[in-house]
Amino acid sequence: MPAYDGVCRPASDEECSLMGEFVNLTVSDEAPGVGVIRLDRPKMNAISLQVQAELKVACAEAAERDDVRAVVVWGGERLFAAGNDVAEMAEMSYADMVKATRGVSEAATAIASIPKPVVAAVTGYALGGGCELTLAADIRIAGENATFGQPEVLLGIIPGAGGTQRLPRLIGPSKAKDLIFTGRFVKADEALAIGLVDKVVPADQVYAEAVAWASQFTKAAALAIRAAKECIDRGLEVDLGTGLSIEQQQFASVFATEDRTTGMASFLEHGPGKAEFAGR
């Protein structure tokens, strides 16, 4: 995969891209401020070690770029990702996996660590590692044809990219155990009912809905959203008292931003919801 040299060179007149062999990050003029991380490894978007490495690069780039204010993670019109590359894993020994397992987890964590709103746009299958990538997003918008699952036990293994940790935090331990212990698949309607996804739309509207959700943050107070996301994510990992301390620190910190000054001045002069933020 070509190294990114800090200069965004348009792939066309309308978009600015970081291209990997199987993963790319695109910012289009049609949705300025929205970065799209696209998985594109035909035909099932199997998540190989190379895909994991490219995902980490794309996520790091999305986190750093000022022209990306929110992110859509997208597997294409047909499916999100049908799982990890089983053919690749079948050849790996215990010693091999000891070396590789951190990278497996880090690919999903890279999505979760983007300090901006992230939405997973899910059509078709999101299984195994593919499901784990969606769990790392802030919200999930699914097509009516979407199917989720953590079927690793059917291969004699367990989820290894956050499924045993993020899934119970999202839907509760008993529902997570049901899905992980049985390996069964969950259709879109059940996924919505148990809280695994946040919205279900016709499959051909998934991408547009995800971009629309992300677009509402392109002129928002970016540092305030970043602080809020860190409070929520870190707070879920600690006790309430520690979480409140994190919130207090972040609350005070946003008073050092230009956006705080802009937002409060706008509120006093024009009322709520009128401020135009610079993201500083």
Side-chain angles (χ1 to χ4, degrees):
M1 183 178 67
Y4 182 71
D5 61 5
V7 179
C8 188
R9 297 182 175 82
S12 70
D13 291 338
E14 295 185 345
E15 58 186 33
C16 206
S17 301
L18 170 68
M19 306 298 292
E21 183 177 358
F22 301 126
V23 180
N24 63 74
L25 168 66
T26 300
V27 184
S28 172
D29 286 345
E30 296 178 359
V34 177
V36 179
I37 295 176
R38 169 69 194 278
L39 307 177
D40 188 14
R41 188 184 182 216
K43 58 183 178 178
M44 302 299 285
N45 283 345
I47 304 169
S48 63
L49 297 177
Q50 181 178 343
V51 169
Q52 293 161 13
E54 291 184 11
L55 264 172
K56 288 190 286 184
V57 172
C59 290
E61 186 63 24
E64 292 298 323
R65 278 171 53 168
D66 291 336
D67 61 337
V68 174
R69 303 291 287 274
V71 176
V72 175
V73 183
W74 167 238
E77 296 178 355
R78 196 169 69 87
L79 83 167
F80 187 80
N84 287 326
D85 190 332
V86 177
E88 182 179 69
M89 289 195 300
E91 300 299 320
M92 298 178 71
S93 67
Y94 167 76
D96 294 332
M97 188 52 72
V98 167
K99 296 177 181 178
T101 189
R102 184 173 180 178
V104 172
S105 181
E106 285 178 346
T109 298
I111 294 175
S113 298
I114 296 173
K116 303 167 185 181
V118 179
V119 52
V122 185
T123 52
Y125 290 118
L127 303 176
C131 185
E132 289 172 304
L133 295 184
T134 74
L135 297 175
D138 297 310
I139 76 162
R140 287 145 291 283
I141 296 176
E144 293 172 342
N145 68 340
T147 300
F148 296 82
Q150 298 288 168
E152 287 87 351
V153 293
L154 304 180
L155 302 177
I157 60 174
I158 66 171
T164 66
Q165 301 304 305
R166 291 192 176 96
L167 188 59
R169 283 170 168 80
L170 183 65
I171 67 173
S174 61
K175 292 184 178 68
K177 288 175 181 177
D178 173 48
L179 298 188
I180 292 173
F181 292 176
T182 66
R184 70 182 182 88
F185 293 175
V186 175
K187 297 294 186 182
D189 56 349
E190 183 181 358
L192 181 63
I194 65 176
L196 181 52
V197 301
D198 300 281
K199 189 174 185 179
V200 175
V201 300
D204 61 358
Q205 296 178 23
V206 169
Y207 180 76
E209 286 280 345
V211 170
W213 185 85
S215 293
Q216 66 186 312
F217 304 107
T218 58
K219 297 186 182 299
L223 294 176
I225 290 175
R226 178 179 184 143
K229 181 169 179 175
E230 182 167 351
C231 287
I232 294 167
D233 289 349
R234 290 184 60 197
L236 287 171
E237 300 170 355
V238 297
D239 63 89
L240 177 60
T242 303
L244 290 171
S245 295
I246 293 169
E247 181 184 77
Q248 291 165 14
Q249 294 167 1
Q250 291 293 337
F251 180 74
S253 73
V254 295
F255 275 71
T257 68
E258 178 182 323
D259 283 345
R260 190 276 306 185
T261 303
T262 299
M264 289 190 170
S266 176
F267 176 86
L268 293 173
E269 185 173 355
H270 305 293
K274 306 292 194 305
E276 296 183 4
F277 296 107
R280 298 191 293 270

